[in-house]
């Protein structure tokens, strides 16, 4: 199966690419890794929200009355896949502070690489809202497919997935399971290794964000 590039958006802005390179370097400290992830997420938020609906409101400038566009941030639901999704969530919330937030706790079983759910908490109104799922890594795709399965059962209007790094295997799995979900990533890396880690990748995102291991 090949990749559908119509629903895969690689954010190739030089600032995004520069910061991603700094994050990949193995000697990057926990604090700089976390800061870069935050900055990168803010930049990528521009792309993933590009087609957000706006409505016109009447305002008074110092000189006259005009109709001007506004978004309704509350219509957006950000869903963070714990743990590592939290790093992206904070950056996106900086630019869409009114968004509602849900969390899904998932970890990969190291042997089977299947996603195991341990937490699920969503805002009360997800039906007919636009959802952006966030997690830095799309490796086998098992975690994001499990997350989309859960969120879809709540009837949102749309779901997008925002990550930092994607492997071809994970993109294909997500596109096969949920062809309607657009994927936004800073890079499409080469492949997975035998432990399901992305190559060349950046290592274990959760461990690098939180300084565990
Ligand atoms: O596409 P997949 O093969 O499912 O892998 C990607 C998942 O692996 C990582 O989480 P991990 O399981 O390490 O949990 P953590 O965020 O708690 O470290 C990452 O943050 C994704 O959620
Ligand atoms: O390379 C990988 C794959 C899964 N999860 C990570 O944090 N990194
Ligand atoms: Mg991890």
């Amino acid at each position: 199966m090949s990749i559908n590039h119509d629903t895969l958006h690689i954010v190739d802005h030089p600032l995004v690419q520069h910061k991603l390179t700094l994050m990949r370097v193995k000697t990057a400290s926990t604090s700089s890794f976390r800061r870069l992830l935050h900055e990168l997420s803010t930049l990528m938020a521009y792309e993933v929200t590009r087609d957000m609906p706006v409505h016109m409101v009447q305002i008074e400038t110092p000189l006259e009355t005009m109709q001007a566009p506004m978004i309704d941030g509350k219509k957006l639901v950000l869903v963070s896949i714990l743990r590592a999704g939290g790093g992206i969530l904070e950056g996106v919330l900086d630019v869409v502070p009114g968004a509602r937030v849900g969390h899904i706790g998932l970890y990969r079983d190291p042997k089977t690489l299947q996603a195991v759910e341990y937490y699920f908490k969503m805002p009360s109104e997800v039906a007919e809202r636009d959802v952006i799922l966030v997690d830095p890594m799309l490796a086998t795709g098992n975690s994001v497919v499990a997350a989309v399965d859960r969120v879809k059962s709540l009837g949102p209007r749309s779901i997008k997935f925002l990550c930092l790094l994607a492997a071809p295997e994970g993109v294909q799995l997500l596109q096969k399971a949920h062809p309607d979900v657009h994927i936004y990533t800073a890079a499409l890396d080469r492949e997975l290794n035998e432990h399901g880690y992305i190559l060349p990748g950046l290592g274990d995102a959760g461990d690098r964000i939180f300084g565990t291991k």
Side-chain angles (χ1 to χ4, degrees):
M1 195 197 149
S2 58
I3 287 175
N4 177 2
H5 287 273
D6 293 339
T7 58
L8 176 65
H9 308 269
I10 297 176
V11 182
D12 61 358
H13 191 288
L15 281 174
V16 168
Q17 295 301 316
H18 173 82
K19 290 177 194 297
L20 175 60
T21 300
L22 295 176
M23 290 181 75
R24 287 183 191 270
V25 174
K26 68 177 181 186
T27 51
S29 66
T30 301
S31 64
S32 67
F33 189 89
R34 209 183 285 148
R35 178 180 48 77
L36 286 161
L37 178 62
H38 189 107
E39 292 170 0
L40 250 169
S41 309
T42 306
L43 296 170
M44 293 188 68
Y46 284 92
E47 276 311 313
V48 76
T49 57
R50 182 177 283 281
D51 59 359
M52 252 181 108
V54 292
H55 61 278
M56 303 306 276
V57 294
Q58 185 164 309
I59 58 164
E60 305 281 338
T61 78
L63 298 172
E64 55 179 65
T65 299
M66 73 174 285
Q67 297 287 321
M70 286 197 80
I71 59 166
D72 185 356
K74 293 197 289 293
K75 295 260 166 68
L76 188 66
V77 180
L78 303 174
V79 177
S80 167
I81 302 179
L82 302 173
R83 288 177 300 171
I88 299 193
L89 174 68
E90 286 174 27
V92 179
L93 277 175
D94 272 1
V95 284
V96 197
R100 299 302 190 234
V101 177
H103 290 91
I104 303 182
L106 295 174
Y107 70 86
R108 289 201 314 178
D109 181 298
K111 288 212 176 71
T112 64
L113 299 182
Q114 293 303 311
V116 182
E117 183 179 310
Y118 59 88
Y119 188 73
F120 187 76
K121 183 80 180 170
M122 289 296 132
S124 51
E125 292 152 12
V126 173
E128 298 310 318
R129 302 213 168 177
D130 297 309
V131 169
I132 302 175
L133 262 171
V134 301
D135 188 334
M137 309 304 271
L138 172 54
T140 63
N142 290 334
S143 301
V144 67
V145 168
V148 175
D149 287 345
R150 282 292 249 137
V151 172
K152 262 197 184 170
S153 68
L154 304 175
R157 182 166 62 179
S158 70
I159 303 179
K160 292 176 178 171
F161 179 54
L162 173 60
C163 62
L164 216 54
L165 277 189
E169 295 90 331
V171 171
Q172 286 173 12
L173 191 81
L174 178 56
Q175 290 186 333
K176 185 159 181 258
H178 296 290
D180 54 310
V181 173
H182 283 242
I183 303 167
Y184 293 76
T185 184
L188 178 63
D189 272 11
R190 193 179 67 245
E191 62 184 343
L192 296 179
N193 71 10
E194 67 276 22
H195 304 294
Y197 277 85
I198 300 174
L199 298 176
L202 52 70
D204 189 302
D207 285 342
R208 295 196 68 191
I209 293 167
F210 296 109
T212 46
K213 206 165 224 168

